Amino acid sequence: MFEQYIDINPSVKKAIEEGKPVVALESTIISHGMPYPKNVETALNVEKIIIENGAVPATIAILKGRVKIGLTKEEIDYLGKSKEVVKTSRRDLPVVIAKGLDGATTVATTMILANLAKIKVFVTGGIGGVHRGASETFDISADLEELARTNVAVICAGVKSILDIGLTLEYLETKGVPVIGYQTDEMPAFYTQKSGFKVDYRVDSTEELAKTIKIKWDLVLNGGVVVANPIPEEFSMDYNVINHAIEEALKEADSKGIKGKVITPFLLSKIKDITEGRSLESNIQLVYNNARLGAKLANALVFK
Ligand code: PSU
Ligand code: MN
């Protein structure tokens, strides 16, 4: 049924059919998360890193109403340049397809589409979560609901402190989503290794990670797993500098009345300006680091 809406890149299709390791990648990070041309450069480098680490990359997006699993270089470039791309979460997906639009997939939608294509490992930068002040605004990312229901492992660098990290962890606990620290006891906060919050469990090898994920799904415990992989020390930001930038950006968003799906892209761009580009550099490096881990995990899962 769903196959009629989806085009799978031939090399990705072959790898899936042969049971080879494949890693899904999202596209909102390209269209709404980083400026051009760094976004395209980063997306292409991420694919390269995944190949170097023995897996097949599949960047996912919607182009003119067709779901694409595995973009070409030209398609990544097109998506990175275009200003008309719809940030596509779960609720947007059928509309973007029906209207024949271009859509960039969020963590939630990338999970949905990766799962339909039988891809079990997905690499991103940071997941959405419970926003600060959510008790008033109800702003809780659809990424969390997707993690509760869709069987894909998501490698990220934790949760940015533009969100309420504590409430995000509570929400994931309620929904039965394990948050596993890779070689860390502490929940990373995207730009920094530390957040002041603990992860549920620490795992030190991709073998153990793959085993845990396999057991979860064997037991029909449906839903994703958050693998929290801290940014490498040499690229991490000063805790006070980044938190000051985040506070400033949040104040500006508040005074301008920015809310809903545009708030995360707004904050990311403001934080980049306030830190004179340093946050973007950290963002890029943590995605590369996640790509290395994701490729290794996809390999470990294949042999389970
Ligand atoms: N965090 C980032 N960069 C991003 C996003 C989050 O550092 O690009 C994107 C991801 O695609 C994530 C989405 O799924 O924002 C969450 O948006 P929302 O809160 O509107 O669900
Ligand atoms: Mn939201």
Side-chain angles (χ1 to χ4, degrees):
M1 213 35 175
F2 61 82
E3 291 87 350
Q4 61 189 304
Y5 306 108
I6 300 182
D7 300 327
I8 305 185
N9 179 304
S11 69
V12 174
K13 190 165 194 208
K14 186 159 177 279
I16 296 167
E17 281 167 2
E18 291 175 355
K20 299 241 169 76
V22 181
V23 174
L25 299 159
E26 63 150 306
S27 44
T28 295
I29 191 171
I30 303 175
S31 65
H32 294 72
M34 292 182 188
Y36 182 81
K38 284 263 181 193
N39 57 353
V40 171
E41 190 188 305
T42 304
L44 296 176
N45 282 338
V46 167
E47 292 212 338
K48 202 164 132 232
I49 290 167
I50 286 171
I51 294 166
E52 282 165 3
N53 285 278
V56 176
T59 303
I60 297 179
I62 302 123
L63 296 177
K64 303 196 168 39
R66 296 290 305 168
V67 172
K68 302 282 177 187
I69 311 276
L71 296 185
T72 63
K73 283 193 172 65
E74 294 71 30
E75 287 168 338
I76 287 176
D77 192 64
Y78 167 79
L79 199 75
K81 269 188 194 140
S82 172
K83 299 263 180 268
E84 312 279 297
V85 182
V86 181
K87 178 178 162 188
T88 308
S89 200
R90 171 178 267 266
R91 60 113 191 250
D92 310 285
L93 183 58
V95 187
V96 169
I97 294 175
K99 287 185 180 290
L101 303 175
D102 294 331
T105 54
T106 61
V107 168
T109 312
T110 309
M111 288 179 77
I112 295 168
L113 298 171
N115 187 50
L116 291 179
K118 302 195 172 64
I119 303 171
K120 304 318 272 173
V121 176
F122 161 30
V123 163
T124 185
I127 55 170
V130 180
H131 282 257
R132 295 201 205 174
S135 58
E136 286 294 317
T137 64
F138 274 45
D139 192 349
I140 300 172
S141 173
D143 292 354
L144 299 185
E145 285 298 318
E146 211 53 57
L147 281 160
R149 75 172 104 187
T150 301
N151 297 6
V152 172
V154 181
I155 323 286
C156 65
V159 175
K160 258 189 287 349
S161 51
I162 60 173
L163 303 171
D164 189 318
I165 300 176
L167 291 188
T168 302
L169 291 170
E170 289 293 344
Y171 199 98
L172 290 168
E173 180 189 359
T174 302
K175 295 290 177 173
V177 180
V179 177
I180 299 178
Y182 184 71
Q183 299 181 343
T184 183
D185 294 300
E186 181 139 348
M187 182 69 177
F190 200 81
Y191 302 113
T192 55
Q193 293 192 333
K194 299 218 177 317
S195 68
F197 293 90
K198 297 274 168 253
V199 288
D200 304 331
Y201 295 98
R202 171 190 179 126
V203 156
D204 285 305
S205 70
T206 48
E207 277 308 303
E208 193 185 354
L209 204 49
K211 183 176 170 189
T212 308
I213 292 167
K214 180 178 184 294
I215 293 171
K216 182 176 195 283
W217 294 332
D218 282 351
L219 292 172
V220 206
L221 293 168
N222 285 328
V225 172
V226 174
V227 179
N229 186 32
I231 184 170
E233 182 68 54
E234 64 266 40
F235 301 115
S236 72
M237 296 192 68
D238 182 88
Y239 193 83
N240 294 321
V241 168
I242 191 63
N243 284 321
H244 171 75
I246 288 170
E247 293 297 341
E248 288 299 304
L250 282 167
K251 257 189 246 159
E252 187 166 339
D254 192 43
S255 69
K256 290 192 163 145
I258 291 168
K259 39 174 143 355
K261 70 192 279 189
V262 295
I263 189 152
T264 300
F266 174 86
L267 293 172
L268 287 175
S269 150
K270 274 290 149 215
I271 293 164
K272 178 191 129 265
D273 292 345
I274 297 168
T275 62
E276 293 165 342
R278 273 173 298 152
S279 65
L280 177 59
E281 213 34 60
S282 290
N283 194 345
I284 291 169
Q285 292 297 335
L286 66 83
V287 179
Y288 294 165
N289 190 47
N290 292 344
R292 285 185 281 271
L293 178 58
K296 286 183 193 140
L297 174 61
N299 272 283
L301 264 175
V302 159
F303 297 110
K304 280 280 159 240

